[in-house]
Amino acid sequence: MIAASPHRYMTGGRAEGRSDELLASAIAQARAVEVSGAPAIVTLRHLAARMDVDYRYLRSVIANRAGDRYRDFSISKRGGGGRRIAVPEPRLMAVQRWIVREILRGRPVHPDSHAYATGSSIVACAQRHCMAGWLLKLDIHDFFESVPERSVYDVFRAIGYQPLVSFELARLCTRPWVDPPDDRRDARTVRNHAARGIELYRRELTGHLPQGAPTSPMLSNLACVGLDERLSALARSARLAYTRYSDDLTFSGPPGTFDRAKAVGLVDGVREILRSHGFRMHERKISIVPPGGRKVVLGLLVDRERPRLLGELRRRLSDHVRGVEGFGIAGHAAERNFEAPTGMVNHIAGLLRFARDVEPAFADPLRARFEAALVRHGWGAGP
């Protein structure tokens, strides 16, 4: 740490021929960051040394205009369609994981944000809406891609980093837009970009958070603190509870003081707040559930005092366990069209862990049966 021992840093810097003015500036920069619990980063070379990464590689990532340091693929959504995923190349992945571990992890987010933060969970998010009369569920369209490079830069500035370092960190965590939609091009175009900043870093289009980078979840939360504050205030004004779980927005209220007209008005208010923060509401995913309707938040029933598993999930888990018990691991994997038994076992085990977080009395006996069936059919046994 630089600021923790400024005299030692000053002595070492003088021995290397650095001026007192330069060293004093570095100490001041370091202190502004270190008091917030983040590591001091004075220059890109300093960052490269701390990461043990080639400086020239970091420069090349920051200057990249093609976005080709990511591998694109799509995964299917439960409701149909696909979700675009962009995974960084291994070296960049390691850089981003360092940023998560050393800079972003543990940073406080808005209390109504329930994803990607320490102690957050789907169950805790759903609990906020238990026994509500009215339920409003909304969705942000293309959430990660809607968080621009400038917002990421602002996150690092708020932590205490100087402008150039914040810019470079933001570039390491964002992917350049190559061919943005027509309705986004104007907002992402740098005015007079040929005359701005360091020549090597100049781009016509700014970047965005890629869904698939390890830095994107936490950066999206930190970049959305202002959005969460406004949506939370809107909810309080209507006497509603509000939560955000990544791109899922949920509002709920009691049965007697709310009605459909107020719900429609609230949706209009949310739409405008999202627009002012550069986001768009997914118009096909607006759900207004009145009293008496089935209340589901993030896949959990919230009609009682505690969140509950959906009946569909309970039946699916019970069928999986019975299938493994009766037909064996390979037989059940083939019956359910899994590509490999390992993937099926991991899938069922993950569902059981989730179920245990919600209803341990249901999940624990089922998990015991599943583990016993795995042992009986020789899962994990040596050759």
Side-chain angles (χ1 to χ4, degrees), residues 259-302:
D259 55 37
R260 184 165 292 276
K262 290 180 180 178
V264 171
L266 184 83
V267 171
D268 290 340
V270 172
R271 182 184 293 108
E272 178 57 28
I273 290 173
L274 290 177
R275 187 202 60 77
S276 69
H277 283 263
F279 294 102
R280 292 177 297 164
M281 186 182 296
H282 203 308
E283 298 295 337
R284 287 192 237 173
K285 292 188 176 181
I286 298 172
S287 175
I288 301 176
V289 185
R294 190 176 187 232
K295 308 292 192 306
V296 178
V297 174
L298 301 173
L300 297 176
L301 286 166
V302 293

Side-chain angles (χ1 to χ4, degrees), residues 313-346:
L313 178 58
R314 295 168 67 97
R315 287 189 292 274
R316 180 151 47 107
L317 266 173
S318 297
D319 288 346
H320 274 312
V321 172
R322 280 195 299 270
V324 172
E325 288 174 329
F327 301 108
I329 299 165
H332 185 63
E335 174 67 22
R336 293 303 180 94
N337 296 317
F338 282 91
E339 292 185 1
T342 299
M344 180 200 69
V345 170
N346 291 337

Side-chain angles (χ1 to χ4, degrees), residues 142-160:
D142 291 335
F143 176 59
F144 285 102
E145 291 181 352
S146 298
V147 179
E149 182 183 310
R150 176 59 195 238
S151 295
V152 179
Y153 165 85
D154 290 340
V155 168
F156 289 114
R157 286 289 287 138
I159 291 172

Side-chain angles (χ1 to χ4, degrees), residues 117-131:
T118 303
S120 64
S121 72
I122 287 176
V123 179
C125 186
Q127 179 71 55
R128 292 267 291 141
H129 304 286
C130 279
M131 301 187 71

Side-chain angles (χ1 to χ4, degrees), residues 59-259:
R59 288 274 286 187
S60 70
V61 172
I62 296 167
N64 181 267
R65 293 169 173 81
D68 54 3
R69 295 190 182 276
Y70 292 81
R71 177 174 60 89
D72 295 294
F73 62 94
S74 179
I75 59 175
S76 299
K77 295 182 182 179
R78 284 182 300 177
R83 187 184 301 277
R84 294 188 300 272
I85 304 295
V87 177
E89 63 186 17
R91 292 177 74 187
L92 182 54
M93 176 77 82
V95 166
Q96 292 174 346
R97 284 175 173 162
W98 187 94
I99 292 172
V100 170
R101 183 175 65 250
E102 302 296 332
I103 299 176
L104 301 177
R105 181 169 293 163
R107 302 225 155 257
V109 301
H110 193 278
D112 289 329
S113 174
H114 287 263
Y116 316 131
T118 303
S120 64
S121 72
I122 287 176
V123 179
C125 186
Q127 179 71 55
R128 292 267 291 141
H129 304 286
C130 279
M131 301 187 71
W134 286 86
L135 189 67
L136 285 74
K137 297 191 294 183
L138 311 171
D139 186 271
I140 300 175
H141 194 64
D142 291 335
F143 176 59
F144 285 102
E145 291 181 352
S146 298
V147 179
E149 182 183 310
R150 176 59 195 238
S151 295
V152 179
Y153 165 85
D154 290 340
V155 168
F156 289 114
R157 286 289 287 138
I159 291 172
Y161 291 109
Q162 292 299 302
L164 180 56
V165 171
S166 296
F167 170 83
E168 290 167 331
L169 286 168
R171 279 283 178 91
L172 291 171
C173 298
T174 55
R175 187 184 195 184
W177 270 114
V178 177
D179 187 22
D182 290 340
D183 60 348
R184 300 262 182 122
R185 176 170 286 275
D186 188 60
R188 296 301 176 86
T189 300
V190 179
R191 306 302 178 198
N192 196 24
H193 69 279
R196 287 180 177 267
I198 300 171
E199 183 176 358
L200 181 66
Y201 290 171
R202 290 174 190 165
R203 283 186 197 156
E204 182 181 0
L205 298 171
T206 62
H208 61 84
L209 287 182
Q211 183 164 357
T215 41
S216 292
M218 193 61 190
L219 282 170
S220 70
N221 273 349
L222 295 170
C224 284
V225 169
L227 171 68
D228 288 327
E229 288 175 348
R230 291 190 63 188
L231 292 176
S232 181
L234 179 67
R236 287 196 303 272
S237 70
R239 297 184 180 179
L240 302 177
Y242 158 71
T243 60
R244 180 176 64 82
Y245 194 93
S246 186
D247 56 355
D248 290 309
L249 312 179
T250 307
F251 298 81
S252 63
T257 59
F258 204 66
D259 55 37

